[in-house]
């Protein structure tokens, strides 16, 4: 039993971190958000709801400045105040903002939002367990190698999720009558909107794929649907 402790302890730690992360995330969102109620934006939400065959699509406004959208572990969809302000100032169209919501709906429908919380705690547990094992054989750099390996794996899984959510959003936007053009146009704006700067990490270490690769994937989907 004692021999298994280096593996069991990280797994227990991972579960505790998972529960703690979910609770803190939901508490933060509850404290800093309200349901978005904007008559100028309501028509696009109604079209998304009709395409999904549901009565309504609820979107919450998260009162933080960074430009972002997110799907909570409980399935709620959020747009940040920073993103909403871009819409209010006409830097982002209603259809482009709808593509963000469609993308986040994809994360919920495909189970990404809940799994990411599990992935986060699992990565910490795996990092500790792998680090403990490697350190027995490579005392100086064992934990560093474990951290590097788990970070690469997490980035790859996250990029896969983004492609899947993009595909879901493209299908939903097409069914709602918007097409994929707003989605592509927003991608062209994202670096400016989010304040991206030179010197960021290489794409294979990022949690999101390269913008041009995401656009190419959406165009390929559109071409395939048109040929079908």
């Amino acid at each position: 039993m004692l021999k298994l402790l280096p593996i069991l302890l990280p797994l227990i730690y991972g579960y505790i971190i998972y529960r703690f992360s979910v609770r803190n995330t939901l508490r933060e969102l509850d404290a800093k958000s309200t349901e978005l109620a904007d008559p100028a934006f309501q028509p696009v939400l109604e079209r998304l709801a009709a395409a999904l065959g549901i009565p309504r699509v609820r979107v919450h406004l998260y009162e933080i400045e960074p430009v972002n959208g997110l799907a909570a572990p409980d399935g709620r969809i959020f747009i940040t105040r920073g993103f909403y302000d871009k819409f209010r100032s006409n830097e982002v169209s209603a259809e482009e903002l709808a593509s963000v919501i469609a993308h986040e709906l994809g994360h919920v429908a495909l189970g990404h939002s809940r799994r990411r919380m599990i992935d986060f705690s699992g990565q910490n547990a795996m990092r500790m367990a792998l680090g403990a094992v490697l350190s027995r054989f490579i005392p100086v750099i064992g934990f560093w190698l474990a951290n590097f390996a788990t970070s690469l794996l997490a980035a790859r899984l996250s990029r896969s999720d983004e492609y899947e959510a993009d595909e879901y959003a493209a299908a939903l936007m097409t069914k709602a009558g918007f097409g994929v053009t707003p989605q592509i146009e927003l991608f062209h704006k994202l670096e400016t909107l989010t304040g991206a700067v030179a010197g960021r990490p290489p794409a294979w270490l990022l949690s999101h794929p390269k913008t041009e690769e995401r656009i190419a994937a959406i165009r390929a989907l559109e071409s395939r649907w048109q040929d079908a």
Side-chain angles (χ1 to χ4, degrees):
M1 185 67 178
L2 291 176
K3 292 182 179 180
L4 295 177
L5 279 179
I7 297 175
L8 291 176
L9 288 177
L11 292 177
I12 295 170
Y13 169 79
Y15 176 77
I16 293 172
I17 289 296
Y18 166 69
R19 298 301 305 177
F20 182 78
S21 297
V22 170
R23 186 185 66 179
N24 278 7
T25 297
L26 296 180
R27 183 180 296 172
E28 163 83 5
L29 292 172
D30 288 341
K32 294 186 178 180
S33 66
T34 55
E35 187 170 348
L36 177 62
D38 184 341
F41 192 60
Q42 192 59 33
V44 300
L45 291 180
E46 291 173 356
R47 289 173 65 175
L48 289 178
L52 289 168
I54 59 177
R56 62 182 299 199
V57 170
R58 293 176 182 267
V59 178
H60 294 78
L61 188 61
Y62 184 21
E63 297 291 346
I64 61 173
E65 288 306 313
V67 173
N68 206 353
L70 64 143
D74 60 5
R76 286 180 294 168
I77 304 300
F78 293 82
I79 292 294
T80 64
R81 168 63 66 177
F83 220 147
Y84 180 63
D85 286 346
K86 299 296 184 183
F87 163 67
R88 293 291 300 273
S89 64
N90 295 318
E91 295 175 72
V92 172
S93 70
E95 293 80 8
E96 288 167 351
L97 191 58
S99 74
V100 178
I101 293 166
H103 178 91
E104 299 306 329
L105 286 168
H107 280 312
V108 173
L110 299 168
H112 298 162
S113 52
R114 181 174 293 276
R115 194 187 75 212
R116 282 179 174 183
M117 297 300 294
I118 298 173
D119 285 348
F120 171 74
S121 57
Q123 289 157 25
N124 283 324
M126 185 171 72
R127 184 178 292 113
M128 291 181 64
L130 184 59
V133 172
L134 289 178
S135 291
R136 293 185 175 184
F137 301 98
I138 318 172
V140 179
I141 61 172
F143 276 104
W144 182 86
L145 288 174
N147 183 67
F148 183 71
T150 51
S151 295
L152 285 180
L153 176 61
R156 181 171 182 176
L157 291 174
S158 184
R159 289 195 300 272
S160 176
D161 286 354
E162 293 304 316
Y163 279 122
E164 290 178 4
D166 283 348
E167 182 172 349
Y168 181 99
L172 178 55
M173 291 288 286
T174 299
K175 187 176 181 180
F178 297 120
V180 299
T181 298
Q183 195 176 3
I184 292 172
E185 289 178 343
L186 183 63
F187 279 140
H188 286 304
K189 297 178 180 180
L190 273 180
E191 288 192 8
T192 300
L193 292 173
T194 58
V197 295
R200 56 187 181 275
W204 54 276
L205 275 178
L206 295 175
S207 60
H208 286 59
K210 288 181 177 179
T211 298
E212 58 268 26
E213 292 175 357
R214 298 175 76 176
I215 291 173
I218 292 170
R219 290 196 186 280
L221 283 172
E222 182 183 35
S223 177
R224 193 187 344 165
W225 293 335
Q226 290 174 345
D227 294 338

